[in-house]
């Protein structure tokens, strides 16, 4: 039978995620926290490929860190990543207004970044893999509603396997109030994102890893990398305001810091795109450096061509 190990791995993963959604919201929070923390600590000790990649990425943020200091940072980052998953499994059962109230005191720069919407101008947030971006999205949807604005954000997700897991993630994020597009149909996704921004809506895109192979070479955290050009190009073509955003954990609550608007040249050229993407990379670097343990980048950032 072809690819039996791959199918078996997908089936096990699907069953594991299904069990997570079924059980986490029903178990005592303290028990769930200890289980996920223990899992993160075990993964850190095993030092698999994802953990080694996380260490290499965090070494960019803390290039002068001694080995034991970097070890502690990696351990905190793995617990932060485990917290994301722990909360993802419980999030559908949580009250969005309670999440909004808990996060609101720690949401810096959001109000200013929403001002363009009052003028009919779309807003595009570019985010690294950090904190709990789903909670940040729920917060933003509720904040839009509180301001009398259309309480919808549009985002793009990568296809997961097995298909049953992917469908569950789609349903999960749509239930949170997100308009979710799939990256495996890039033309349809691009048209929908463009329309949303031209209508004066909100788009959120993860932008610290290029998956298209057509990204822009930049200096990111002191080393060469390649980041996606999509956010800058969408902002230019639609006139939307482009902002870097960095979700974080704040004790038992959540926070986010939105940076200054990224200037996007009107000229349509790869050189102009490169300028905007470099500014975005610099903004990401500054935000990540403030709280690197909440940056969950367990994959390669992308090497330049």
């Amino acid at each position: 039978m072809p690819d039996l190990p791959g199918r078996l791995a997908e089936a096990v993963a699907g069953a594991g995620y299904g069990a997570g959604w079924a059980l986490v919201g029903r178990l005592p929070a303290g028990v769930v926290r200890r289980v996920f923390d223990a899992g993160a600590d075990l993964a850190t000790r095993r030092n698999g490929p994802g953990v080694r990649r996380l260490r290499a990425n965090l070494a960019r943020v803390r290039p002068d860190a001694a080995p034991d200091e970097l070890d502690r940072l990696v351990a905190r980052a793995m617990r932060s990543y485990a917290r994301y998953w722990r909360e993802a499994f419980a999030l559908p059962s949580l009250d969005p207004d309670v999440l909004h109230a808990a996060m609101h005191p720690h949401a810096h720069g959001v109000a200013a970044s929403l001002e363009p919407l009052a003028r009919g101008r779309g807003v595009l947030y570019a985010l690294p893999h950090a904190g709990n971006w789903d909670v940040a999205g729920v917060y933003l949807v509720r904040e839009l509603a509180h301001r009398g604005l259309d309480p919808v954000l549009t985002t793009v997700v990568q296809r997961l396997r097995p298909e049953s897991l992917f469908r569950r993630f789609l349903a999960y994020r749509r239930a949170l109030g997100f308009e979710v597009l799939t990256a495996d149909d890039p033309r349809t996704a691009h048209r929908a994102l463009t329309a949303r921004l031209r209508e004066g809506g909100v788009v959120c895109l993860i932008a610290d890893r290029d998956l298209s192979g057509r990204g822009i070479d930049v200096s990111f955290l002191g080393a060469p990398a390649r980041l996606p050009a999509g956010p800058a190009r969408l902002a230019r073509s639609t006139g939307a305001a482009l902002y870097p955003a960095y979700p974080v954990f704040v004790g038992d609550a959540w926070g986010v810091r939105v940076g200054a608007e990224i200037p996007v040249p009107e000229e349509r050229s790869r050189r102009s795109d490169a300028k905007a993407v470099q500014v975005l990379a610099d903004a990401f670097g500054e935000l990540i450096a403030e709280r690197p343990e909440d940056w969950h980048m367990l994959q390669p950032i992308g090497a330049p061509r």
Side-chain angles (χ1 to χ4, degrees):
M1 183 177 295
D3 196 27
L4 179 58
R7 292 183 182 181
L8 180 60
E10 289 181 5
V12 171
Y17 284 113
W21 265 300
L23 296 175
V24 167
R26 302 176 185 176
L27 295 175
V31 171
V32 174
R33 182 193 297 267
R34 289 193 293 273
V35 168
F36 275 76
D37 283 351
D41 294 345
L42 177 60
T44 302
R45 290 195 298 273
R46 287 183 171 176
N47 197 34
V51 175
R52 293 196 299 271
R53 173 49 57 186
L54 175 65
R55 181 185 304 274
N57 291 337
L58 290 174
R60 290 188 176 205
V61 191
R62 294 286 186 267
D64 298 328
D68 59 341
E69 181 183 354
L70 190 59
D71 288 344
R72 291 192 294 271
L73 178 57
V74 171
R76 294 198 304 274
M78 287 299 295
R79 282 201 173 196
S80 176
Y81 185 48
R83 175 175 171 176
Y84 165 77
W85 283 107
R86 167 167 56 87
E87 293 179 348
F89 291 132
L91 192 53
S93 65
L94 301 180
D95 185 338
D97 287 317
V98 172
L99 295 179
H100 180 274
M103 185 168 171
H104 193 66
H106 313 292
H108 304 293
V110 173
S113 69
L114 293 177
E115 290 178 359
L117 297 177
R119 303 188 294 274
R121 188 182 179 202
V123 170
L124 196 166
Y125 295 102
L127 302 85
H129 291 78
N132 192 324
W133 48 89
D134 291 329
V135 169
V138 171
Y139 170 84
L140 185 58
V141 169
R142 298 310 301 157
E143 185 66 14
L144 291 168
H146 290 172
R147 293 170 178 268
L149 299 167
D150 187 14
V152 177
L153 68 81
T154 302
T155 190
V156 177
V157 297
Q158 298 295 322
R159 184 168 292 277
L160 302 173
R161 292 190 180 280
E163 182 68 19
S164 59
L165 174 61
F166 178 64
R167 290 197 300 268
R168 191 152 194 169
F169 259 104
L170 284 181
Y172 158 65
R173 287 197 164 103
R174 285 168 177 162
L176 299 179
F178 305 168
E179 178 189 17
V180 183
L181 310 171
T182 58
D184 53 352
D185 188 358
R187 291 186 179 181
T188 299
H190 183 268
R191 285 195 296 269
L193 293 171
T194 299
R196 187 71 181 160
L197 291 170
R198 285 178 174 166
E199 292 166 358
V202 175
V203 167
C204 296
L205 297 176
I206 300 294
D208 58 348
R209 186 183 180 208
D210 175 48
L211 297 176
S212 69
R214 300 185 300 274
I216 299 289
D217 294 344
V218 296
S219 174
F220 180 39
L221 292 166
R226 187 184 306 144
L227 298 187
R233 290 173 179 168
L234 276 169
R236 185 194 64 234
S237 65
T238 64
L242 174 61
Y243 293 97
Y246 188 64
V248 296
F249 294 118
V250 184
D252 290 331
W254 308 268
V256 66
R257 181 182 171 191
V258 180
E261 180 180 348
I262 303 297
V264 178
E266 294 183 4
E267 177 190 359
R268 183 178 179 179
S269 70
R270 190 169 182 86
R271 183 176 181 179
S272 294
D273 292 341
K275 290 181 180 179
V277 177
Q278 183 61 66
V279 176
L280 180 61
D282 293 342
F284 277 169
E286 292 177 4
L287 292 169
I288 292 168
E290 292 184 4
R291 193 170 175 84
E293 60 265 40
D294 285 336
W295 186 36
H296 309 149
M297 182 48 75
L298 279 71
Q299 299 84 25
I301 298 171
R305 286 181 292 274

